[in-house]
């Protein structure tokens, strides 16, 4: 009996925080699980984390990956590297992100494995609307449509993405798809905390990119920079690039102010939710943001852009507010509304926690995921 499963990942940290819990429902006594990670990290912290996974019983292998690359030769090398790692006869191969899902379908032409394509979001390919990216999207969708098989199954973290691929583009059969409402959140770990009224704290946790709306967050902060009743906290990793240089320069400038804090990373993200009063995410597109899921569980009202993903989590004037993209003034106005109206703030806070408990509890989401695997005889 074939009991081998392979899980392809593009980021070790994200896997440990949010993807591993899906894999943990698979009984390691009955299945041999191999994890594939990019080979472009060599820090001691990375090696230690990999070693911990091996101690837990996972096999670990590596492949070549250049994130956000559209260089033809680098993509061919990624495809070849994946193929070399997937030569074993796996019963199930599970991948996430649009790029890895795409490559897995090419490789699946040579294999009989059951394929799980997990769409956490559609990524930067679906944010940029230049001609070249429209062409890339067309090729991506054509490839999905004609390379999928009957044993190809899809997991979507938000309803809009599932509808796009099933009802709109008719690429995947609805019976082979599952909508899981994001990765879920541990509602026992993240709790609603009574805030100390020292400063009204505005929090954003995100990768530092234009597409995530970081510039809107910074421009909104500039409207409060001289008002010490407010504190802004930004947490997120950034990649050094010309595109990000402007954001990094702004962050370095604002870090000199007493009411602005920036952290590249935090191993204890909960402490920031505990001191925050409101979460802000003015991104251009989302899957189903973990930051917002954790914010809801923490009882935080949310101000975010009115885009796919975000609008699934936030109901206007119920648990937060939806704003237009590139609208720092709108964000400011809603921050002031919540700051000045405690009754309104408290009601939105209660509603955030209520939504989290009813719809985004990770226990419920993992149960639905497990039922889907069993119903389709994937495991």
């Amino acid at each position: 009996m074939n009991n081998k499963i392979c899980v392809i990942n593009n980021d070790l940290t994200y896997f440990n925080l949010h993807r591993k819990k899906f894999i943990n429902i698979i009984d390691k006594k009955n299945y041999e699980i191999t994890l594939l990670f990019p080979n472009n990290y060599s820090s001691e912290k990375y090696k230690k984390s990999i070693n911990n996974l091996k101690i837990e019983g996972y096999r670990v292998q590596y492949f070549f990956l250049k994130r956000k690359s559209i260089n033809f030769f680098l993509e061919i090398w990624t495809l070849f590297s994946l193929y070399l790692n997937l030569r074993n006869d796996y019963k199930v191969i599970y991948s996430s992100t649009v790029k890895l899902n795409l490559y897995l379908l090419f490789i699946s032409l040579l294999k009989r494995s059951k394929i799980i394509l997990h769409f956490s979001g559609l990524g930067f390919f679906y944010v940029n609307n230049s001609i070249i990216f429209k062409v890339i999207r067309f090729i991506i969708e054509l490839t999905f449509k004609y390379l999928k098989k009957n044993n190809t199954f899809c997991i979507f973290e938000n309803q809009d993405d599932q509808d796009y691929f099933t009802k709109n583009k008719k690429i995947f059969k609805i019976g082979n798809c599952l909508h899981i409402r994001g990765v879920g959140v541990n509602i026992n770990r993240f709790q609603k905390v009574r805030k100390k009224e020292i400063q009204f704290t505005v929090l954003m946790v995100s990768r530092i990119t234009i597409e995530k709306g970081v510039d809107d967050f910074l421009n909104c902060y500039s409207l409060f920079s001289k008002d010490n009743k407010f504190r802004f906290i930004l947490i997120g990793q950034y990649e050094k690039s010309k595109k990000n240089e402007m954001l990094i320069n702004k962050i370095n400038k604002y870090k000199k102010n007493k009411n602005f804090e920036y952290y590249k990373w935090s191993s204890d993200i909960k402490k920031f939710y505990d001191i925050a009063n409101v979460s802000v995410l003015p991104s251009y597109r989302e899957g189903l943001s973990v930051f917002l899921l954790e914010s809801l569980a923490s009882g935080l009202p949310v101000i975010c852009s009115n885009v796919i993903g975000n609008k699934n989590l936030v109901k206007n004037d119920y648990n937060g507010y939806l704003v237009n993209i590139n609208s720092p003034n709108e964000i400011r106005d809603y921050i002031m509304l919540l700051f000045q109206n405690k009754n309104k703030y408290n009601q939105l806070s209660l509603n955030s926690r209520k939504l989290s408990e009813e719809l985004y509890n990770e226990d419920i989401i993992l149960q639905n995921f497990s039922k889907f695997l069993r119903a389709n005889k994937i495991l």
Side-chain angles (χ1 to χ4, degrees):
M1 176 183 174
N2 185 348
N3 67 340
K4 295 181 179 179
I5 296 172
C6 186
V7 182
I8 309 172
N9 309 275
N10 73 337
D11 184 85
L12 175 61
T13 300
Y14 190 87
F15 172 81
N16 281 328
L17 289 174
H18 308 301
R19 191 72 66 212
K20 185 179 173 184
K21 58 190 174 185
F22 288 91
I23 309 306
N24 277 344
I25 69 172
I26 302 171
D27 188 351
K28 296 190 191 71
K29 293 179 181 178
N30 296 322
Y31 291 94
E32 178 186 289
I33 304 174
T34 298
L35 306 177
L36 275 185
F37 292 105
N39 60 2
N40 49 346
Y41 299 96
S42 58
S43 69
E44 288 304 313
K45 184 178 178 182
Y46 188 86
K47 292 176 182 177
K48 183 178 179 181
S49 186
I50 289 291
N51 190 54
N52 288 338
L53 290 173
K54 291 179 179 178
I55 292 172
E56 291 177 38
Y58 294 105
R59 297 178 72 250
V60 180
Q61 295 175 192
Y62 304 95
F63 69 101
F64 173 83
L65 177 69
K66 183 73 172 178
R67 293 183 68 174
K68 292 192 176 182
S69 167
I70 54 174
N71 181 297
F72 176 77
F73 297 103
L74 291 178
E75 302 314 308
I76 290 296
W77 182 239
T78 297
L79 185 60
F80 181 65
S81 176
L82 282 170
Y83 171 73
L84 291 178
N85 278 284
L86 295 173
R87 285 177 297 175
N88 288 337
D89 186 21
Y90 290 106
K91 178 181 181 180
V92 179
I93 306 176
Y94 179 6
S95 74
S96 55
T97 77
V98 171
K99 182 184 284 190
L100 293 180
N101 290 344
L102 191 68
Y103 291 156
L104 179 54
L105 282 187
F106 276 107
I107 294 169
S108 72
L109 294 174
L110 305 174
K111 304 187 72 63
R112 292 179 296 177
S113 309
K114 293 180 180 179
I115 304 298
I116 303 176
L117 308 179
H118 192 129
F119 293 88
S120 55
L122 299 187
F124 79 111
F125 290 116
Y126 283 77
V127 171
N128 193 314
N129 283 315
S130 65
I131 295 297
I132 186 170
F133 276 89
K134 287 181 178 179
V135 172
I136 290 172
R137 287 202 291 269
F138 176 77
I139 294 171
I140 287 172
E141 290 165 12
L142 208 62
T143 304
F144 279 140
K145 184 171 185 176
Y146 290 104
L147 292 190
K148 74 178 189 302
K149 298 179 181 179
N150 289 333
N151 62 354
T152 300
F153 301 92
C154 299
I155 311 294
F156 291 96
E157 291 190 11
N158 77 59
Q159 189 67 57
D160 290 295
D161 289 347
Q162 177 171 293
D163 290 346
Y164 180 81
F165 277 108
T166 56
K167 296 179 182 179
N168 185 0
K169 294 296 182 176
K170 301 188 185 306
I171 293 173
F172 300 117
K173 295 179 180 178
I174 189 67
N176 281 22
C177 298
L178 173 69
H179 166 227
I180 59 170
R181 292 198 175 100
V183 298
V185 63
N186 184 338
I187 62 171
N188 295 316
R189 180 187 175 209
F190 295 93
Q191 295 275 354
K192 187 175 182 298
V193 175
R194 185 178 294 277
K195 314 296 177 182
K196 295 180 181 179
E197 299 295 332
I198 300 172
Q199 285 177 303
F200 193 86
T201 301
V202 182
L203 176 67
M204 178 173 178
V205 181
S206 163
R207 283 184 293 107
I208 307 302
T209 66
I210 295 292
E211 293 82 7
K212 286 293 184 179
V214 174
D215 195 36
D216 289 355
F217 180 82
L218 295 173
N219 289 337
C220 178
Y221 164 72
S222 70
L223 304 173
F224 291 90
S225 60
K226 295 181 181 179
D227 190 340
N228 287 322
K229 294 191 297 292
F230 296 88
R231 174 170 59 159
F232 280 63
I233 299 176
L234 175 62
I235 303 172
Q237 299 273 9
Y238 62 78
E239 299 173 1
K240 290 185 178 180
S241 67
K242 288 186 177 179
K243 194 174 182 182
N244 281 338
E245 193 172 328
M246 176 267 292
L247 296 177
I248 296 167
N249 288 339
K250 277 190 177 182
I251 289 170
N252 288 334
K253 173 186 174 184
Y254 292 147
K255 274 167 52 178
K256 299 174 184 177
N257 297 345
K258 290 183 179 180
N259 64 344
F260 183 89
E261 300 171 28
Y262 168 68
Y263 305 90
K264 287 186 179 180
W265 174 250
S266 172
S267 58
D268 183 17
I269 195 69
K270 182 181 180 298
K271 68 182 180 182
F272 291 99
Y273 293 116
D274 290 347
I275 62 174
N277 296 97
V278 62
S279 290
V280 170
L281 186 64
S283 52
Y284 296 0
R285 198 184 207 283
E286 285 292 331
L288 216 64
S289 165
V290 174
F291 165 51
L292 295 190
L293 288 172
E294 293 174 348
S295 295
L296 297 187
S298 303
L300 296 178
V302 171
I303 301 169
C304 63
S305 48
N306 187 13
V307 297
I308 285 175
N310 290 348
K311 62 185 179 181
N312 296 114
L313 288 167
V314 175
K315 298 179 181 179
N316 220 16
D317 203 34
Y318 177 78
N319 66 318
Y321 296 99
L322 298 168
V323 300
N324 294 309
I325 292 172
N326 299 324
S327 302
N329 289 333
E330 281 189 67
I331 299 172
R332 176 202 58 194
D333 292 344
Y334 284 125
I335 290 173
M336 290 303 300
L337 173 64
L338 293 171
F339 173 70
Q340 294 169 349
N341 191 330
K342 287 190 176 181
N343 289 334
K344 171 66 71 174
Y345 178 90
N346 290 334
Q347 187 58 58
L348 267 59
S349 174
L350 288 171
N351 290 340
S352 281
R353 178 64 188 182
K354 182 180 178 182
L355 270 181
S356 178
E357 292 173 348
E358 292 177 352
L359 299 179
Y360 303 109
N361 182 342
E362 70 177 13
D363 291 339
I364 298 172
I365 288 169
L366 292 174
Q367 286 172 15
N368 290 336
F369 178 71
S370 181
K371 288 178 184 176
F372 179 77
L373 296 183
R374 294 196 304 270
N376 288 283
K377 298 180 180 179
I378 297 171
L379 294 181

